[in-house]
Amino acid sequence: MEYILIFISAIFVNNIVLSQFLGICPFLGVSKKVDTALGMSAAVAFVLTIATIVTFLIQKFVLDAFDLGYLQTITFILVIAALVQMVEIVLKKVSPALYQALGVFLPLITTNCCILGVAILVIQKDYDLLTGVVYAISTALGFGLALTLFAGLREQMSLVKVPKGMQGTPIALITAGLLAMAFMGFSGVVKI
C-alpha cells in the first residue's frame, strides 16, 4: 500500500514540476511539440531511475561508509553527468531523429534539478532502494505527464489567436500556472 501511495502522490499530488518547481527549464523549453515532450520524458525517466539507483548505492556504500556525506552533491552531479552522456550516445545511435529533436536540451538533463533533486530527496526521506526506485519512476511519470499535457496545450495554443503582447513566453507561463492550479485539485487525495 505504501508504494501505491508514493506512486499516486509523486505523479499527481507532489508533482515534481507543478508542485515542487523542479525541472522547469525542460518543462518550458521542450514543451512546444508533444513528440519532443514524450522523447524528453522518456530520456528523463531513464536517467532519473538509473541515477537514483546509482546515487543511492554510492551514498550508502561509499559516502556514508567513509563519512563523506559532505561530497554528496558533487558526487551526485558527476554521476548524473556520466549517465546523461551515456543516454546521449545511445540516442544518437538508436534514434537520430529524436536526438536532433531534443537538440541542446539533452545535455541540459545533466543540469536538470529534477534529477538531482529526486536523488537527494530519496536520501533525505530515508527510503530503501526499492522505495526509492518506486519514487523515482513515479516522479518521472509525473514529470512526463506534466510535460506532455503542457506540450499538448501549447500545440493547441498555436492554433488560436493570442493577443500580440501575450504570444510566446507570457501565454506559456500563464498556461503553466493554470496547469499547476489544476494539479492542486489532487492535494486532498493522498497525504504523504
Side-chain angles (χ1 to χ4, degrees), residues 16 20 22 116-127 135:
I16 198 79
Q20 299 179 23
L22 295 173
L116 179 62
V118 169
I120 291 173
L121 283 171
V122 165
I123 302 301
Q124 285 179 348
K125 293 182 178 194
D126 201 27
Y127 287 155
Y135 178 71

Side-chain angles (χ1 to χ4, degrees), residues 50-65 75-76 79 119 122-123 128-130 133:
I50 300 300
T52 300
I53 294 169
V54 173
T55 55
F56 179 88
L57 294 174
I58 288 173
Q59 179 73 37
K60 294 300 178 191
F61 296 113
V62 177
L63 299 179
D64 288 349
T75 304
F76 286 11
V79 167
V122 165
I123 302 301
D128 59 19
L129 183 58
L130 181 60
V133 170

Side-chain angles (χ1 to χ4, degrees), residues 55-115:
T55 55
F56 179 88
L57 294 174
I58 288 173
Q59 179 73 37
K60 294 300 178 191
F61 296 113
V62 177
L63 299 179
D64 288 349
F66 296 106
D67 199 27
L68 299 171
Y70 60 90
L71 294 175
Q72 181 187 54
T73 304
I74 191 71
T75 304
F76 286 11
I77 289 171
L78 291 173
V79 167
I80 291 166
L83 288 171
V84 169
Q85 289 300 314
M86 183 182 73
V87 168
E88 190 171 0
I89 290 168
V90 168
L91 269 182
K92 195 173 190 179
K93 299 250 187 235
V94 173
S95 178
L98 180 58
Y99 177 78
Q100 288 295 327
L102 292 176
V104 72
F105 296 106
L106 192 57
L108 286 178
I109 293 176
T110 304
T111 58
N112 186 347
C113 56
C114 169
I115 295 172

